[in-house]
Amino acid sequence: MTTYDFVSASLESLDGLQTEVVVLPFFSDERPLRGAAGLIDWRLCGALSRKLMAGYLDGHFGEKGMIARPDKLKAEGVLLIGLGPTSSFDASTAKRACELIADTLRESKVTTAAVALPGRNLDLVPALRAMQLWLAASREDETLEELSVIEGPEEHRALGSLVDGLRRQSESPIG
């Protein structure tokens, strides 16, 4: 079972992430990058923005781009996931994006990751709903041991309670 923790979308927290990969969903019309992606881009002196401006990535739904061994981060890689335009983002897109991220981590046999949940950087989906979608999408992943969810500190308690409640429910002899 995956162990969850919650980290703030702040430079200090992101700098300290020791994980295989940091997953950053972003929109095709999101310039400059915001949320965790914007902070990591700033920390990497605009490396993510340069990839976008050079046309290596455009953010269409399902697009994936990896930066391996980024300087100034303790993570082994940064995985960018395209979400398409903000105008087409809805609950169905959020669900599909969570499934895409979960499948990518599973197929890559990632054991530790940090994830900014799709749509949270622009508050297009409530934190609890985004976490529910993530938990449903990642349910079958037996490889992922530790996941850090990048979220505002005001949401940590509620998200932690959701995860703890589901864990207790799954461990219940009645269930």
Side-chain angles (χ1 to χ4, degrees):
M1 177 173 234
T2 304
T3 301
Y4 286 87
D5 73 326
F6 302 93
V7 298
S8 297
S10 68
L11 281 175
E12 183 180 6
S13 295
L14 298 173
D15 284 347
L17 284 174
Q18 293 186 323
T19 186
E20 289 175 64
V21 66
V22 178
V23 181
L24 303 171
F26 72 102
F27 292 97
S28 60
D29 55 351
E30 178 188 355
R31 305 293 184 273
L33 295 172
R34 296 189 198 127
L39 291 170
I40 287 179
D41 188 38
W42 189 85
R43 177 58 76 216
L44 299 178
C45 301
L48 305 182
S49 291
R50 284 192 301 278
K51 296 275 185 209
L52 297 172
M53 290 187 304
Y56 292 117
L57 298 167
D58 66 13
H60 67 270
F61 185 85
E63 179 181 40
K64 300 174 197 173
M66 182 76 160
I67 295 178
R69 308 244 180 254
D71 290 342
K72 302 180 184 180
L73 293 179
K74 294 178 181 176
E76 295 174 26
V78 174
L79 176 62
L80 296 163
I81 300 282
L83 297 176
T86 54
S87 61
S88 67
F89 190 81
D90 58 14
S92 173
T93 307
K95 178 180 186 265
R96 289 179 26 236
C98 285
E99 290 167 349
L100 173 68
I101 294 167
D103 290 345
T104 301
L105 294 176
R106 188 178 310 111
E107 290 164 6
S108 302
K109 299 187 181 350
V110 169
T111 59
T112 62
V115 173
L117 296 173
R120 290 296 302 143
N121 59 332
L122 300 178
D123 260 342
L124 297 178
V125 61
L128 278 173
R129 184 65 184 136
M131 191 69 200
Q132 289 169 334
L133 292 169
W134 169 257
L135 291 168
S138 64
R139 192 171 288 160
E140 298 167 15
D141 193 340
E142 297 181 15
T143 306
L144 188 62
E145 296 172 7
E146 297 175 22
L147 183 75
S148 297
V149 177
I150 303 167
E151 183 57 67
E154 65 280 355
E155 303 290 352
H156 290 185
R157 187 174 185 174
L159 296 179
S161 293
L162 173 66
V163 171
D164 289 344
L166 290 172
R167 188 188 72 248
R168 283 192 301 274
Q169 186 179 35
S170 72
E171 294 171 352
S172 171
I174 299 170

